[in-house]
Amino acid sequence: MQLYEAEVEDTFAEAFEMWAARVVITAETPAWARIAAQSTTGFATSVIGCGCEAGIERELAPDETPDGRPGVSVLFLTVRVEDLGKRLLERIGQCVLTTATTACYNGLESDQMVNIGSQLRYFGDGYQVSKRLDGRRFWRVPVMDGEFLVEERFGVGPAVGGGNLILLGVDAASTLRAAEAAVQAMQTVPGVILPFPGGICRSGSKVGARRYKFLTASTNDAFCPTLRSLVPHTRVPQGLNCTYEIVIDGLSLGAVEEAMRRGLRAAAQNGARYITAGNYGGRLGPYRIHLHDLLQPA
Amino acid sequence: MITLTLREVPHVPLEAEVLCPDVLAGKAREEIQALPVFLGKRPRKLGDFFEVEVDGDGEAICLRGDLRRVRWVGRGMTRGRIVIHGDVGMHLGAFMQGGTIEVFGNASDWVGAEMTGGRIYVHGNAGGQVGAGYRGSPIGMQGGTILIEGSAGPEVGMRLRRGLIAVGGAVGDFAGLHMRGGTIFLLGPSGIRTGAWMVRGTIVVLRPAALLPTFLYACTYRPTFLRLYVRYLQSQGFPVPPEALQGVYQRYTGDTAVAGKGEILQWVEG
């Protein structure tokens, strides 16, 4: 299927079930809220090596946050629900608690909750104070610039990971522009994150390795332009010289699909020449997001 | 809704704890009229004093008239809503566990005494011992919210354990006496000995107050958690000055007379 200057392959992205939490970080200024969000979602590109996937969902205006200060909403995703609480505890404890002026709140209504504030409170060494308000419990932990306020429990809920687009272009510059345009379009969708740096992954991987049996993932040789003449199963069309992948995680399948839909169009309008998606033949996850279906009129 | 209109002010206090959604819900007019009340020490029927109109399931109750001598309205209620147009007597919402009470008028002493949940909103003034523990009881209010737009008397939040009390006008002496937790917002002037013997909890004072010398100054800062409370109060329609949201507060800890770990947060600037 042709979309602007891009050919869209008749294939599907294979998404899978994950668990997610939404954390609202606030601070005295938008800059400090952003710093805390970037820090706490750093090194969280892939569950393969980072333990979780995380990213900034969007920035929040003061009237959207519990304490009326500027904020940032971030999403954390893991494959197993029991891992999510551990990752939140580590990341909020090391990256939000430590950031100047911040506070941290649950942003996901759910029946299933994990205890975070009730564990971080011990940092207060007995000087911490609990406050209950309107059915929610908060902990005031004394720190050197005042108090760190953290909600006791955070909601966790089912989510969808592994949505993806693979964009190919004539050269690195034009392909990167297309990918950047896609990222910008995707970030307008609530409830999704793009966990890789800048939303873009240049080192897409395949499961396992051709040569090294100890690896769980290795370079996606089929999409490496430098290997086109060496790899019989290359997926890089003649004349195209660069590939970028965008991975999308979301709180729902619909959100992931909408992000992919917007990303597809934006990439095709901004220099991508071939667009496809990664899948494992349906063996990885229950969700198949067909690219051609995304382009059908609603 | 069940509407009860007081015919005339009783000459002695009328104890009417049956004025509660838990009791009235689902009852017919005749059943409601037959419910027992006490006029002083004498047993009487509710219908002797109130006109009763029933329209709906009774989860909402509307009381009209000069109810200053009607006591124990909403005692121990767990659900539903009571709206009172007029002044109401002592012990409003005492031992309340859930639901809401709204008074378009004044309330007397012991509003929400020893309540554990729910919300009471008094648009006028209240008497003393709001949210307090009864004499001899070790613990006062243990949950819920009491909002008094006007003034209140002495011993507001006495032995408060948990929950929120906010008073828009002046309060009498000994607010937060022997407080054990929870939060009291005093937007108006407060009497003497605020927080005396408090062990835990927070008293927020928006007007300059003469604090006991047994409260020790800690620092001047912007408590983030107060912003949650201010926004909550605003969401309930409670008039809070906007400067309270951005405010800078002095933190005093005490009462050291009883080795207390409570705090008084004194607003100093917006």
Side-chain angles (χ1 to χ4, degrees):
Chain A
M1 178 185 281
Q2 200 68 23
L3 180 66
Y4 303 103
E5 286 187 275
E7 182 185 346
V8 179
E9 188 179 341
D10 185 10
T11 187
F12 62 90
E14 189 174 352
F16 47 89
E17 291 161 329
M18 296 186 83
W19 288 87
R22 178 191 271 138
V23 173
V24 173
I25 300 167
T26 67
E28 281 298 312
T29 65
W32 277 110
R34 209 176 300 124
I35 287 168
Q38 287 168 344
S39 176
T40 196
T41 59
F43 185 58
T45 55
S46 167
V47 288
I48 296 172
C50 308
C52 71
E53 295 179 10
I56 292 174
E57 183 187 16
R58 67 186 183 97
E59 298 200 3
L60 302 171
D63 61 1
E64 295 178 287
T65 64
D67 60 24
R69 302 190 301 171
V72 177
S73 168
V74 298
L75 300 183
F76 294 87
L77 294 98
T78 58
V79 175
R80 299 191 311 164
V81 65
E82 54 269 32
D83 292 338
L84 198 46
K86 297 174 191 166
R87 302 291 89 79
L88 286 175
L89 189 63
E90 292 166 353
R91 287 168 179 271
I92 294 172
Q94 295 301 315
C95 302
V96 186
L97 166 66
T98 56
T99 303
T101 78
T102 58
C104 194
Y105 308 100
N106 173 37
L108 187 67
E109 292 291 325
S110 174
D111 294 333
Q112 201 164 346
M113 309 291 280
V114 292
N115 291 324
I116 301 299
S118 58
Q119 297 189 68
L120 286 176
R121 72 186 170 109
Y122 293 114
F123 185 74
D125 196 19
Y127 296 105
Q128 69 273 16
V129 175
S130 157
K131 285 290 169 190
R132 290 174 193 262
L133 181 65
D134 199 21
R136 297 164 77 173
R137 191 177 196 189
F138 304 89
W139 286 96
R140 297 165 55 197
V141 180
V143 288
M144 294 193 297
D145 72 352
E147 290 171 342
F148 173 60
L149 185 66
V150 58
E151 190 153 0
E152 174 161 271
R153 304 199 305 161
F154 285 70
V156 296
V160 174
N164 69 86
L165 290 176
I166 297 174
L167 314 175
L168 295 95
V170 172
D171 54 36
S174 65
T175 313
L176 186 57
R177 274 198 302 277
E180 288 170 343
V183 165
Q184 200 172 357
M186 290 169 152
Q187 285 175 333
T188 61
V189 178
V192 300
I193 57 161
L194 313 177
F196 282 92
I200 300 166
C201 176
R202 67 110 174 248
S203 60
S205 60
K206 65 178 181 291
V207 176
R210 181 179 63 99
R211 176 168 295 183
Y212 308 112
K213 300 305 177 195
F214 57 88
L215 282 182
T216 54
S218 63
T219 190
N220 195 349
D221 44 34
F223 284 102
C224 291
T226 55
L227 302 179
R228 181 166 48 206
S229 55
L230 294 175
V231 176
H233 53 277
T234 185
R235 303 275 305 275
V236 182
Q238 191 72 33
L240 302 186
N241 298 290
C242 180
T243 308
Y244 283 119
E245 181 175 358
I246 300 174
V247 172
I248 307 108
D249 297 330
L251 296 178
S252 68
L253 181 62
V256 173
E257 288 176 334
E258 181 58 28
M260 287 179 62
R261 181 179 294 112
R262 294 185 194 185
L264 255 176
R265 292 190 176 278
Q269 282 178 295
N270 287 276
R273 294 297 173 83
Y274 192 81
I275 303 176
T276 183
N279 64 64
Y280 302 90
R283 295 188 303 275
L284 182 65
Y287 306 117
R288 295 182 180 195
I289 306 171
H290 290 269
L291 301 187
H292 286 191
D293 290 349
L294 295 175
L295 298 174
Q296 299 303 318
Chain B
M1 175 177 281
I2 298 174
T3 303
L4 298 106
T5 306
L6 187 67
R7 292 197 189 93
E8 60 184 49
V9 180
H11 60 281
V12 294
L14 182 70
E15 302 206 343
E17 61 190 67
V18 294
L19 294 175
C20 176
D22 299 76
V23 178
L24 300 190
K27 286 191 167 56
R29 181 169 175 269
E30 293 71 24
E31 292 176 290
I32 293 170
Q33 286 173 323
L35 287 169
V37 294
F38 278 88
L39 180 66
K41 64 179 182 180
R42 300 181 193 287
R44 300 284 291 273
K45 292 179 181 170
L46 191 65
D48 297 340
F49 302 93
F50 287 91
E51 297 286 350
V52 181
E53 295 172 48
V54 179
D55 180 16
D57 58 7
E59 290 292 335
I61 299 171
C62 176
L63 301 176
R64 294 181 181 279
D66 185 346
L67 300 142
R68 277 176 293 178
R69 287 190 178 150
V70 179
R71 296 179 174 178
W72 298 106
V73 172
R75 185 189 196 279
M77 69 185 275
T78 64
R79 64 178 201 266
R81 182 163 186 251
I82 299 176
V83 179
I84 300 169
H85 295 276
D87 297 345
V88 66
M90 294 168 69
H91 310 293
L92 173 74
F95 304 107
M96 181 175 175
Q97 299 171 56
T100 63
I101 298 176
E102 189 164 13
V103 182
F104 294 94
N106 301 316
S108 187
D109 300 335
W110 301 101
V111 171
E114 300 193 22
M115 70 187 280
T116 57
R119 194 193 74 151
I120 301 174
Y121 196 129
V122 178
H123 289 272
N125 304 321
Q129 295 84 30
V130 172
Y134 284 110
R135 306 298 180 200
S137 175
I139 294 179
M141 176 178 172
Q142 294 183 66
T145 301
I146 302 177
L147 307 175
I148 311 291
E149 273 192 17
S151 63
E155 298 175 352
V156 167
M158 177 176 55
R159 296 196 287 276
L160 173 68
R161 175 68 181 84
R162 199 174 288 130
L164 170 64
I165 299 173
V167 183
V171 296
D173 300 342
F174 288 105
L177 174 66
H178 212 160
M179 190 171 162
R180 293 155 182 266
T183 305
I184 299 176
F185 260 78
L186 303 178
L187 279 67
S190 46
I192 59 172
R193 299 190 176 92
T194 298
W197 287 0
M198 77 184 288
V199 179
R200 286 183 182 275
T202 303
I203 301 175
V204 183
V205 184
L206 295 191
R207 295 282 189 90
L211 302 184
L212 286 165
T214 46
F215 279 85
L216 306 180
Y217 172 73
C219 71
T220 301
Y221 78 130
R222 293 178 191 272
T224 307
F225 84 98
L226 277 192
R227 303 172 66 99
L228 303 184
Y229 280 81
V230 171
R231 284 168 71 87
Y232 174 73
L233 290 171
Q234 289 171 336
S235 74
Q236 300 297 303
F238 194 77
V240 184
E243 57 266 30
L245 188 66
Q246 305 282 351
V248 176
Y249 293 80
Q250 292 176 334
R251 183 173 197 255
Y252 294 85
T253 56
D255 184 349
T256 57
V258 289
K261 297 177 184 174
E263 64 182 345
I264 295 178
L265 298 171
Q266 165 83 64
W267 181 81
V268 287
E269 61 179 278

